[in-house]
Amino acid sequence: MKKNSVLIAPSLLSADFGRLKDEIEKIEEAGADILHIDVMDGHFVPNITFGPIMVSAVKKYSSRPLDVHLMLTNPENFIKTFAEAGADMISIHIEATNHAQRQLDEIKRYNIKAGIALNPQTPLHHIKYVISYVDFILIMTVNPGFGGQKLLSPIIKKIKDCKELCERDNPDCQIEVDGGIDLTNVAEIYKMGAEIIVSGNAIFKENDYAAVIEKMRSLCMKIF
């Protein structure tokens, strides 16, 4: 039975960029454990978002760990830049590199957590031989590129399968889940094995961020 507390990682992709400093302060006061930053290049995914300058700006005002999700072609060219910008966690996509283990080792050389991310259609066996190198696995429950998408429910079983794989090969590995998570499905996601919950629209579309985060925690804790 799972006993760990759930960690809530609001995705800044859904924040109001025009008042980002205020949004950071408000979301941290509301109880965010981690701030999730989606970096998109317009090649690996069909959108362009944050760069290292934005990560540096967030770092200036944030007291929470910064979780930088690199949705980039050739992520090896950007690890150093984002690490130096202030990332505390960096995840790369298994689909974007032929040398994942090498890139994970490079991330760890900066004394930050290294993660591997999987798109919805990517089978778990693609990361079988790098499990022992990662601190966390990011399972996408939507096709990455845009916020506000609906969770792909068939992927929920993948979370459970990933948890079983981690328990066997790397018990210290955390499972992070991102994509369409809201109050209707967060408990099931947690029950399947997620420890870090990334949520954007479900939090930032509400006026009371603290109420949403508190409700997410409460729903997760009630299932055990």
Side-chain angles (χ1 to χ4, degrees):
M1 180 178 290
K2 187 178 174 75
K3 297 180 180 179
N4 295 334
S5 297
V6 64
L7 299 175
I8 305 296
S11 173
L12 293 183
L13 186 63
S14 297
D16 181 348
F17 296 173
R19 47 188 294 273
L20 192 57
K21 178 179 179 291
D22 292 339
E23 289 278 68
I24 291 168
E25 292 175 352
K26 183 177 177 181
I27 202 67
E28 291 190 358
E29 290 175 0
D33 300 295
I34 297 167
L35 297 186
H36 186 83
I37 301 176
D38 288 308
V39 177
M40 307 180 193
D41 65 358
H43 296 279
F44 183 71
V45 294
N47 198 3
I48 299 174
T49 56
F50 305 113
I53 293 175
M54 179 65 79
V55 174
S56 295
V58 173
K59 188 71 172 181
K60 181 178 179 181
Y61 299 113
S62 175
S63 62
R64 301 294 190 270
L66 302 188
D67 172 25
V68 176
H69 176 195
L70 297 184
M71 288 175 270
L72 307 175
T73 303
N74 301 318
E76 62 273 11
N77 295 334
F78 302 95
I79 290 169
K80 180 177 186 291
T81 302
F82 281 98
E84 292 178 346
D88 298 286
M89 304 162 64
I90 292 179
S91 57
I92 61 171
H93 271 263
I94 192 66
E95 305 90 353
T97 179
N98 292 321
H99 306 286
Q101 178 268 325
R102 185 181 300 166
Q103 312 315 325
L104 293 165
D105 279 350
E106 181 181 355
I107 294 169
K108 290 187 175 186
R109 280 199 291 272
Y110 293 96
N111 295 315
I112 60 181
K113 290 186 177 182
I116 199 78
L118 297 91
N119 284 336
Q121 75 278 8
T122 303
L124 282 173
H125 68 76
H126 284 215
I127 63 168
K128 179 178 180 180
Y129 297 106
V130 296
I131 285 279
S132 60
Y133 295 96
V134 302
D135 298 301
F136 65 102
I137 297 168
L138 172 54
I139 296 178
M140 296 300 300
T141 45
V142 299
N143 290 300
F146 299 94
Q149 298 183 69
K150 184 177 179 180
L151 182 144
L152 300 171
S153 56
I155 310 301
I156 291 176
K157 183 181 183 299
K158 188 178 184 180
I159 303 167
K160 181 179 180 181
D161 293 341
C162 186
K163 181 65 175 178
E164 292 172 355
L165 183 62
C166 289
E167 287 177 342
R168 187 188 70 201
D169 294 341
N170 184 356
D172 294 327
C173 178
Q174 292 180 299
I175 296 177
E176 180 175 18
V177 181
D178 180 10
I181 301 176
D182 57 27
L183 295 178
T184 69
N185 53 37
V186 65
E188 186 176 12
I189 296 297
Y190 180 74
K191 185 177 182 180
M192 291 297 104
E195 294 158 289
I196 303 172
I197 299 292
V198 179
S199 183
N201 279 11
I203 297 173
F204 285 102
K205 73 179 181 181
E206 302 294 337
N207 291 324
D208 191 341
Y209 300 164
V212 181
I213 291 174
E214 182 180 355
K215 183 64 174 178
M216 284 185 170
R217 293 191 200 282
S218 175
L219 288 169
C220 290
M221 294 302 104
K222 281 182 179 178
I223 66 176
F224 291 103

